[in-house]
Every structure is written in structure tokens, then in C-alpha cells.
Amino acid sequence: MTLNQAGVADVSLAAIASQDVQNQLADQAVLVNTVLNLSERVGPGMKSIAIPRVSGMAATAIPDSGSDSTASGMTLAVDTLPLTSKREVAEFIYDSSLDSSVDLKESFFANAPGVMVEDIESKIYAELDGASASNPDHILQMSGASNLVPTIADIRLAAKLLDEQKVPQSDRYLIVTPTIKHAILAFSEVSNASAFGNADGIQKGYIGELYGFKILMSNQVTASTMVAYHRTALAFAFQKQLTAVNTRNEEKAREFVAIRGHYGQKVLAAGKKCILFNALGS
């Protein structure tokens, strides 16, 4: 960072954009803030993260002196989170375009962070869409009008399925489309604050809370679809944090500007911690 003649910090647009993209990720992203973020576990050069999944353990009686303890029966499976998404929003700004009345570079850095956040959200939703169709089936048909919207019974069923998988009661989410959001707000149960929660939900960025699910709306969700899940249904991590790039090529009389990121996402536990509802049930 340098100081201009007035003694004020002269910060580049790229530096401002780098901070802006982090702010937008924290404040405007929906899905990335509801899943397991393992970025702190990523070291330089890592191409994946191994996430252990333990099952089969049982408590046993402490043996009498001289006898061996009984093994708990622990079994171990591993989910692998690949860090393979290398993404950018990029543009070339030529000197010939600088006569424009619009500052093209400033416009790029004002809008590119939001585009990158949307891209990350789309990748997370596409992975959440991979609920398991094996027994018990977690891909179900909505039971509302023409099977295009849910009923309150569908949300109760989602809670039951997660209960049966011994998923914690906290950190459960229901992601819906704008149309399904409108349908849920019309439920008679929603008009009862004791069933739906209170104004805290709106202040914290979600629509409300119903049967233990924080309900959020995302434009990433496919039409006539909703997904119920626990925070640990999907893992996400950055290999490299989102950063802005601004370089100059004198020979070609242009500047290269970009927002870049390197990350990965993976549905965990064979998709048993998420339930996909749609019009077909398949």
C-alpha cells in the first residue's frame, strides 16, 4: 500500500475487490453458510481432504481385573472432498475502450464478486442435489398441488427421515425456491408464531423455522424442488481463497482483471443427511 500526495492510502481496485468478494461470500451467500466448511484443514498443495466417518461403536461393561476389554466394534469409512474447482470471472480491458464514459475496470470489480459467489452457490447446490435413492429413499415426491409444492406433511417427513439417521436436531436447513417459499408462507401453521418461530429468523437471513428446519430461499434451487439437510450433509473448502487479479500487458495495450478461486465440495455420508423433494420423486 502506498500513500498519495494527500497522505491518503492509495488502495488498488483489485485489493478492494478481494475484500469485497470475501464480504459478499459472508453476507450474501446462502448455501455456503449452511454447510461444513473445512477450509482451515487445507494445507499448501493439498488436492483433497479425507473426512472420516465412524460407525458401529457400542459401550460395554468394564471387565473384571485381569480380563480384556471388549472392542467397541468401530468401523471406519472415508469421504473424500476433492479440491478440484478452479474458477474465475475474467475480462480483458483494452486501452481502446478507455474512452468510454463508464469506468470499465471499476464496473468489473463492482460486479464480479457477486458472480463468483453465485458460481460457488451453484456448485454447492448441484452437490446437495445428490441425495440417496437407496433405502431409506431420500428422493421423494412433494404432495402439494400437482406435486409442484410441498405440504406441511412433507416437512414433517423430512424431519422424521433425518431423525432416523440420528442426525442432530440443530443446524438443519430447508432450501426452497421463491415459489415454494410463497407456498410455505401460506401454511396455516406459519401464521402461528409458536410453530414458525419469530422475527429473529428474518433478521438472521432466513425466512423462519419450522419443525427444526431453518428455511432459506435460494435462486440456485431447481424449479419445483426443495432440499432438507443437516450442516454435515456436505463439506466445502477453499484450497485458495477468492482473490482479485489486475495485470497490465503493454504489448497488447490491455489489462487483465479477474476474480479467482480454488475450492471443492462433496456430499457426505452417501447422501443420507439430505432429502430431495421434487415433482417426480426421482
Side-chain angles (χ1 to χ4, degrees):
M1 180 184 298
T2 60
L3 298 180
N4 62 23
Q5 290 181 345
V8 178
D10 183 13
V11 183
S12 69
L13 284 174
I16 294 172
S18 292
Q19 184 59 52
D20 188 40
V21 73
Q22 300 299 334
N23 292 339
Q24 289 200 37
L25 192 65
D27 297 338
Q28 297 184 22
V30 176
L31 302 179
V32 74
N33 295 318
T34 67
V35 299
L36 187 63
N37 193 323
L38 299 178
S39 298
E40 292 184 355
R41 289 179 52 182
V42 179
M46 289 179 60
K47 297 181 179 180
S48 64
I49 301 175
I51 305 167
R53 179 159 33 102
V54 175
S55 62
M57 297 178 69
T60 59
I62 297 175
D64 295 332
S65 179
S67 300
D68 288 339
S69 293
T70 302
S72 70
M74 180 180 73
T75 58
L76 179 67
V78 176
D79 289 314
T80 301
L81 167 58
L83 302 170
T84 54
S85 291
K86 297 180 180 180
R87 307 285 289 174
E88 69 177 5
V89 181
E91 193 61 69
F92 294 101
I93 299 177
Y94 289 85
D95 290 355
S96 59
S97 65
L98 295 180
D99 292 335
S100 169
S101 60
V102 176
D103 188 326
L104 297 181
K105 185 161 68 172
E106 181 177 349
S107 296
F108 174 86
F109 281 126
N111 290 276
V115 175
M116 180 59 81
V117 169
E118 286 291 312
D119 186 70
I120 292 172
E121 292 276 283
S122 71
K123 296 293 186 296
I124 290 176
Y125 174 73
E127 192 73 15
L128 277 176
D129 199 40
S132 174
S134 61
N135 187 47
D137 195 344
H138 282 200
I139 303 177
L140 304 170
Q141 186 179 53
M142 291 187 290
S143 59
S146 302
N147 305 116
L148 298 178
V149 294
T151 63
I152 196 71
D154 293 332
I155 298 176
R156 285 199 300 265
L157 176 58
K160 173 178 176 289
L161 288 171
L162 291 184
D163 289 344
E164 290 173 347
Q165 295 298 310
K166 299 181 180 179
V167 172
Q169 299 293 315
S170 61
D171 295 321
R172 293 184 178 189
Y173 298 95
L174 186 69
I175 301 295
V176 302
T177 65
T179 297
I180 290 178
K181 169 189 171 182
H182 180 77
I184 288 175
L185 290 173
F187 289 167
S188 60
E189 289 85 352
V190 172
S191 62
N192 180 349
S194 64
F196 195 60
N198 52 43
D200 287 349
I202 296 174
Q203 295 169 4
K204 294 176 181 176
Y206 55 91
I207 300 163
E209 194 164 349
L210 195 60
Y211 295 111
F213 291 103
K214 291 182 175 66
I215 303 174
L216 300 100
M217 189 275 292
S218 171
N219 288 311
Q220 299 298 331
V221 182
T222 306
S224 305
T225 302
M226 70 176 186
V227 185
Y229 61 97
H230 186 259
R231 183 177 70 92
T232 57
L234 183 141
F236 172 87
F238 280 111
Q239 166 55 257
K240 293 181 180 178
Q241 292 289 336
L242 299 176
T243 56
V245 178
N246 185 185
T247 60
R248 172 76 183 171
N249 187 318
E250 291 291 350
E251 182 179 352
K252 295 185 177 181
R254 71 185 186 188
E255 290 188 48
F256 173 74
V257 290
I259 299 291
R260 287 178 169 174
H262 183 179
Y263 56 89
Q265 63 286 320
K266 175 67 176 178
V267 71
L268 305 178
K272 291 302 183 184
K273 294 183 179 181
C274 55
I275 301 101
L276 175 70
F277 288 87
N278 59 29
L280 299 177
S282 61

